[in-house]
Short mmCIF file of all heavy atoms in Angstrom, two decimals:
data_model
loop_
_atom_site.label_atom_id
_atom_site.label_comp_id
_atom_site.label_asym_id
_atom_site.label_seq_id
_atom_site.Cartn_x
_atom_site.Cartn_y
_atom_site.Cartn_z
N LEU A 23 150.77 55.01 160.04
CA LEU A 23 151.96 54.16 160.31
C LEU A 23 152.33 53.35 159.08
O LEU A 23 153.53 53.20 158.76
CB LEU A 23 151.70 53.26 161.51
CG LEU A 23 152.82 52.28 161.87
CD1 LEU A 23 154.10 53.05 162.25
CD2 LEU A 23 152.39 51.39 163.01
N ASN A 24 151.36 52.74 158.41
CA ASN A 24 151.69 51.88 157.26
C ASN A 24 152.36 52.67 156.13
O ASN A 24 153.23 52.15 155.44
CB ASN A 24 150.44 51.18 156.74
CG ASN A 24 149.39 52.13 156.19
OD1 ASN A 24 149.20 53.24 156.73
ND2 ASN A 24 148.70 51.73 155.16
N GLU A 25 151.99 53.95 155.98
CA GLU A 25 152.64 54.77 154.99
C GLU A 25 154.07 55.12 155.37
O GLU A 25 154.97 55.14 154.52
CB GLU A 25 151.82 56.03 154.73
CG GLU A 25 150.47 55.76 154.08
CD GLU A 25 149.72 57.05 153.76
OE1 GLU A 25 150.32 58.13 153.78
OE2 GLU A 25 148.51 56.96 153.46
N LEU A 26 154.29 55.35 156.64
CA LEU A 26 155.66 55.65 157.13
C LEU A 26 156.56 54.44 156.92
O LEU A 26 157.71 54.56 156.49
CB LEU A 26 155.61 56.05 158.59
CG LEU A 26 155.01 57.42 158.92
CD1 LEU A 26 154.92 57.60 160.43
CD2 LEU A 26 155.76 58.56 158.28
N ILE A 27 156.04 53.26 157.23
CA ILE A 27 156.81 52.04 157.05
C ILE A 27 157.18 51.83 155.59
O ILE A 27 158.31 51.47 155.25
CB ILE A 27 156.05 50.82 157.63
CG1 ILE A 27 156.07 50.91 159.17
CG2 ILE A 27 156.63 49.51 157.12
CD1 ILE A 27 155.26 49.82 159.87
N ALA A 28 156.22 52.08 154.71
CA ALA A 28 156.48 51.97 153.26
C ALA A 28 157.55 52.96 152.80
O ALA A 28 158.41 52.66 151.98
CB ALA A 28 155.20 52.17 152.46
N GLN A 29 157.53 54.16 153.40
CA GLN A 29 158.54 55.17 153.07
C GLN A 29 159.94 54.75 153.55
O GLN A 29 160.94 54.97 152.86
CB GLN A 29 158.15 56.51 153.66
CG GLN A 29 156.93 57.16 153.00
CD GLN A 29 156.41 58.34 153.78
OE1 GLN A 29 157.20 59.13 154.33
NE2 GLN A 29 155.10 58.48 153.86
N VAL A 30 160.00 54.19 154.72
CA VAL A 30 161.27 53.70 155.26
C VAL A 30 161.79 52.60 154.35
O VAL A 30 162.98 52.58 154.00
CB VAL A 30 161.09 53.18 156.71
CG1 VAL A 30 162.36 52.47 157.19
CG2 VAL A 30 160.78 54.34 157.68
N ASP A 31 160.94 51.65 153.97
CA ASP A 31 161.35 50.56 153.07
C ASP A 31 161.92 51.15 151.77
O ASP A 31 162.96 50.68 151.27
CB ASP A 31 160.17 49.65 152.77
CG ASP A 31 159.71 48.83 153.98
OD1 ASP A 31 160.50 48.71 154.95
OD2 ASP A 31 158.56 48.35 153.94
N LEU A 32 161.23 52.13 151.19
CA LEU A 32 161.68 52.73 149.95
C LEU A 32 163.00 53.42 150.13
O LEU A 32 163.92 53.30 149.28
CB LEU A 32 160.63 53.75 149.48
CG LEU A 32 160.97 54.57 148.23
CD1 LEU A 32 161.19 53.66 147.02
CD2 LEU A 32 159.90 55.60 147.95
N PHE A 33 163.20 54.11 151.21
CA PHE A 33 164.46 54.83 151.48
C PHE A 33 165.64 53.87 151.42
O PHE A 33 166.65 54.17 150.77
CB PHE A 33 164.38 55.52 152.84
CG PHE A 33 165.58 56.35 153.20
CD1 PHE A 33 165.69 57.63 152.72
CD2 PHE A 33 166.57 55.84 154.02
CE1 PHE A 33 166.80 58.43 153.07
CE2 PHE A 33 167.68 56.59 154.35
CZ PHE A 33 167.79 57.88 153.87
N PHE A 34 165.50 52.74 152.04
CA PHE A 34 166.63 51.84 152.14
C PHE A 34 166.78 50.93 150.91
O PHE A 34 167.70 50.11 150.88
CB PHE A 34 166.58 51.03 153.44
CG PHE A 34 166.92 51.88 154.64
CD1 PHE A 34 165.96 52.30 155.54
CD2 PHE A 34 168.22 52.28 154.84
CE1 PHE A 34 166.30 53.09 156.65
CE2 PHE A 34 168.59 53.07 155.94
CZ PHE A 34 167.61 53.48 156.84
N THR A 35 165.93 51.10 149.92
CA THR A 35 166.25 50.48 148.61
C THR A 35 167.29 51.28 147.87
O THR A 35 167.95 50.76 146.96
CB THR A 35 165.00 50.36 147.72
OG1 THR A 35 164.49 51.68 147.41
CG2 THR A 35 163.88 49.56 148.41
N GLN A 36 167.48 52.57 148.24
CA GLN A 36 168.43 53.41 147.53
C GLN A 36 169.65 53.80 148.37
O GLN A 36 170.68 54.15 147.82
CB GLN A 36 167.70 54.72 147.09
CG GLN A 36 166.51 54.50 146.18
CD GLN A 36 166.87 54.70 144.73
OE1 GLN A 36 168.04 54.75 144.38
NE2 GLN A 36 165.87 54.85 143.86
N ILE A 37 169.50 53.78 149.69
CA ILE A 37 170.58 54.24 150.58
C ILE A 37 171.23 53.06 151.25
O ILE A 37 170.56 52.24 151.91
CB ILE A 37 170.03 55.20 151.68
CG1 ILE A 37 169.09 56.25 151.06
CG2 ILE A 37 171.18 55.82 152.46
CD1 ILE A 37 169.73 57.09 149.98
N ASP A 38 172.50 52.91 151.05
CA ASP A 38 173.24 51.75 151.61
C ASP A 38 173.60 51.92 153.08
O ASP A 38 173.63 50.94 153.82
CB ASP A 38 174.52 51.52 150.79
CG ASP A 38 174.23 51.10 149.37
OD1 ASP A 38 173.61 50.03 149.19
OD2 ASP A 38 174.56 51.86 148.44
N TYR A 39 173.88 53.15 153.49
CA TYR A 39 174.25 53.39 154.88
C TYR A 39 174.08 54.86 155.19
O TYR A 39 174.30 55.73 154.33
CB TYR A 39 175.72 53.00 155.14
CG TYR A 39 176.07 52.83 156.61
CD1 TYR A 39 175.54 51.79 157.35
CD2 TYR A 39 176.94 53.73 157.22
CE1 TYR A 39 175.88 51.63 158.68
CE2 TYR A 39 177.29 53.56 158.55
CZ TYR A 39 176.75 52.52 159.29
OH TYR A 39 177.07 52.37 160.62
N ILE A 40 173.59 55.12 156.44
CA ILE A 40 173.34 56.53 156.81
C ILE A 40 173.93 56.78 158.17
O ILE A 40 173.87 55.90 159.06
CB ILE A 40 171.82 56.86 156.78
CG1 ILE A 40 171.57 58.32 157.03
CG2 ILE A 40 171.04 55.97 157.75
CD1 ILE A 40 170.19 58.81 156.66
N GLY A 41 174.53 57.96 158.34
CA GLY A 41 175.13 58.30 159.64
C GLY A 41 174.11 58.50 160.72
O GLY A 41 174.27 57.96 161.84
N LEU A 42 173.05 59.25 160.43
CA LEU A 42 172.00 59.56 161.42
C LEU A 42 170.64 59.50 160.76
O LEU A 42 170.38 60.25 159.84
CB LEU A 42 172.23 60.94 162.05
CG LEU A 42 171.11 61.48 162.92
CD1 LEU A 42 170.90 60.64 164.14
CD2 LEU A 42 171.38 62.94 163.30
N PHE A 43 169.80 58.59 161.23
CA PHE A 43 168.38 58.58 160.80
C PHE A 43 167.62 59.20 161.97
O PHE A 43 167.46 58.61 163.03
CB PHE A 43 167.93 57.16 160.53
CG PHE A 43 166.61 57.09 159.80
CD1 PHE A 43 166.59 56.98 158.40
CD2 PHE A 43 165.40 57.15 160.45
CE1 PHE A 43 165.41 56.94 157.70
CE2 PHE A 43 164.20 57.12 159.78
CZ PHE A 43 164.19 57.00 158.36
N HIS A 44 167.15 60.43 161.74
CA HIS A 44 166.59 61.24 162.84
C HIS A 44 165.07 61.33 162.67
O HIS A 44 164.56 61.98 161.75
CB HIS A 44 167.20 62.64 162.78
CG HIS A 44 166.82 63.48 163.96
ND1 HIS A 44 166.96 64.87 163.97
CD2 HIS A 44 166.28 63.19 165.18
CE1 HIS A 44 166.51 65.33 165.12
NE2 HIS A 44 166.09 64.33 165.86
N VAL A 45 164.35 60.69 163.58
CA VAL A 45 162.89 60.78 163.61
C VAL A 45 162.54 61.99 164.43
O VAL A 45 162.74 62.03 165.65
CB VAL A 45 162.27 59.49 164.21
CG1 VAL A 45 160.76 59.59 164.28
CG2 VAL A 45 162.67 58.28 163.37
N SER A 46 162.02 63.01 163.75
CA SER A 46 161.86 64.32 164.40
C SER A 46 160.40 64.74 164.37
O SER A 46 159.49 63.95 164.21
CB SER A 46 162.74 65.31 163.62
OG SER A 46 162.75 66.59 164.24
N GLY A 47 160.16 66.04 164.58
CA GLY A 47 158.79 66.54 164.65
C GLY A 47 158.73 68.01 164.29
O GLY A 47 159.67 68.49 163.64
N GLY A 48 157.71 68.70 164.75
CA GLY A 48 156.80 68.45 165.84
C GLY A 48 157.50 67.91 167.09
O GLY A 48 158.67 68.00 167.28
N GLU A 49 156.66 67.39 167.99
CA GLU A 49 157.14 66.71 169.18
C GLU A 49 156.86 65.21 168.94
O GLU A 49 155.72 64.77 169.02
CB GLU A 49 156.40 67.22 170.41
CG GLU A 49 156.62 66.39 171.65
CD GLU A 49 158.07 66.20 172.03
OE1 GLU A 49 158.89 67.15 171.84
OE2 GLU A 49 158.44 65.10 172.49
N PRO A 50 157.90 64.43 168.65
CA PRO A 50 157.71 63.05 168.23
C PRO A 50 156.89 62.18 169.18
O PRO A 50 156.16 61.30 168.75
CB PRO A 50 159.15 62.53 168.08
CG PRO A 50 159.93 63.75 167.77
CD PRO A 50 159.32 64.84 168.55
N VAL A 51 157.03 62.42 170.50
CA VAL A 51 156.33 61.54 171.44
C VAL A 51 154.81 61.70 171.35
O VAL A 51 154.06 60.83 171.82
CB VAL A 51 156.81 61.81 172.90
CG1 VAL A 51 156.21 63.12 173.43
CG2 VAL A 51 156.50 60.63 173.80
N LEU A 52 154.36 62.78 170.69
CA LEU A 52 152.92 62.93 170.52
C LEU A 52 152.40 62.07 169.38
O LEU A 52 151.16 61.93 169.21
CB LEU A 52 152.58 64.42 170.24
CG LEU A 52 152.92 65.38 171.34
CD1 LEU A 52 152.51 66.82 170.95
CD2 LEU A 52 152.23 65.00 172.65
N TYR A 53 153.30 61.46 168.59
CA TYR A 53 152.85 60.53 167.59
C TYR A 53 152.54 59.20 168.26
O TYR A 53 153.40 58.61 168.93
CB TYR A 53 153.95 60.32 166.53
CG TYR A 53 153.54 59.40 165.40
CD1 TYR A 53 152.47 59.74 164.58
CD2 TYR A 53 154.21 58.20 165.20
CE1 TYR A 53 152.08 58.88 163.56
CE2 TYR A 53 153.81 57.34 164.17
CZ TYR A 53 152.74 57.69 163.34
OH TYR A 53 152.34 56.85 162.34
N PRO A 54 151.31 58.70 168.13
CA PRO A 54 150.89 57.53 168.94
C PRO A 54 151.63 56.24 168.59
O PRO A 54 151.61 55.31 169.42
CB PRO A 54 149.42 57.39 168.61
CG PRO A 54 149.22 58.13 167.28
CD PRO A 54 150.22 59.23 167.31
N HIS A 55 152.27 56.16 167.47
CA HIS A 55 152.94 54.93 167.03
C HIS A 55 154.48 55.09 167.00
O HIS A 55 155.16 54.34 166.30
CB HIS A 55 152.46 54.49 165.65
CG HIS A 55 150.98 54.46 165.51
ND1 HIS A 55 150.16 53.60 166.26
CD2 HIS A 55 150.14 55.20 164.73
CE1 HIS A 55 148.92 53.80 165.91
NE2 HIS A 55 148.84 54.77 165.02
N LEU A 56 154.99 56.04 167.76
CA LEU A 56 156.44 56.30 167.74
C LEU A 56 157.23 55.06 168.06
O LEU A 56 158.20 54.72 167.36
CB LEU A 56 156.81 57.45 168.70
CG LEU A 56 158.29 57.78 168.80
CD1 LEU A 56 158.79 58.31 167.45
CD2 LEU A 56 158.55 58.79 169.89
N GLY A 57 156.90 54.36 169.14
CA GLY A 57 157.64 53.19 169.52
C GLY A 57 157.61 52.11 168.49
O GLY A 57 158.65 51.46 168.19
N THR A 58 156.46 51.90 167.87
CA THR A 58 156.33 50.86 166.83
C THR A 58 157.18 51.22 165.62
O THR A 58 157.84 50.34 165.04
CB THR A 58 154.87 50.73 166.42
OG1 THR A 58 154.06 50.43 167.58
CG2 THR A 58 154.67 49.64 165.38
N LEU A 59 157.17 52.49 165.24
CA LEU A 59 157.96 52.93 164.10
C LEU A 59 159.43 52.73 164.35
O LEU A 59 160.17 52.20 163.50
CB LEU A 59 157.68 54.41 163.79
CG LEU A 59 158.49 55.06 162.69
CD1 LEU A 59 158.22 54.40 161.37
CD2 LEU A 59 158.19 56.56 162.61
N LEU A 60 159.92 53.17 165.50
CA LEU A 60 161.35 53.05 165.82
C LEU A 60 161.77 51.57 165.90
O LEU A 60 162.85 51.20 165.39
CB LEU A 60 161.65 53.73 167.15
CG LEU A 60 161.54 55.27 167.13
CD1 LEU A 60 161.59 55.78 168.58
CD2 LEU A 60 162.67 55.88 166.30
N ALA A 61 160.89 50.75 166.47
CA ALA A 61 161.23 49.31 166.55
C ALA A 61 161.28 48.70 165.15
O ALA A 61 162.15 47.84 164.90
CB ALA A 61 160.18 48.59 167.40
N TYR A 62 160.42 49.08 164.27
CA TYR A 62 160.45 48.58 162.88
C TYR A 62 161.76 48.95 162.18
O TYR A 62 162.38 48.13 161.52
CB TYR A 62 159.24 49.09 162.10
CG TYR A 62 159.25 48.59 160.66
CD1 TYR A 62 158.71 47.36 160.35
CD2 TYR A 62 159.82 49.34 159.62
CE1 TYR A 62 158.71 46.86 159.05
CE2 TYR A 62 159.86 48.86 158.34
CZ TYR A 62 159.31 47.63 158.04
OH TYR A 62 159.35 47.13 156.76
N ILE A 63 162.11 50.24 162.32
CA ILE A 63 163.34 50.68 161.65
C ILE A 63 164.55 49.91 162.19
O ILE A 63 165.39 49.46 161.42
CB ILE A 63 163.53 52.21 161.86
CG1 ILE A 63 162.37 53.00 161.20
CG2 ILE A 63 164.89 52.67 161.36
CD1 ILE A 63 162.36 54.47 161.59
#
């Protein structure tokens, strides 16, 4: 999770606005921290 959060932070240092930020998979609900990640974003 901490690496994903760091990647999200990095992404938005370069991107000013995005139409769709799609958290995909695999099957995303199988990721144990899906809710935490989405809430952080």
Side-chain angles (χ1 to χ4, degrees):
L23 178 61
N24 64 324
E25 292 184 14
L26 291 174
I27 287 174
Q29 291 170 38
V30 170
D31 291 341
L32 176 61
F33 183 82
F34 286 106
T35 64
Q36 300 263 14
I37 313 304
D38 294 297
Y39 196 68
I40 186 164
L42 170 64
F43 194 94
H44 187 198
V45 179
S46 186
E49 169 55 37
V51 76
L52 298 181
Y53 183 62
H55 310 296
L56 177 64
T58 303
L59 175 63
L60 291 168
Y62 179 85
I63 296 170

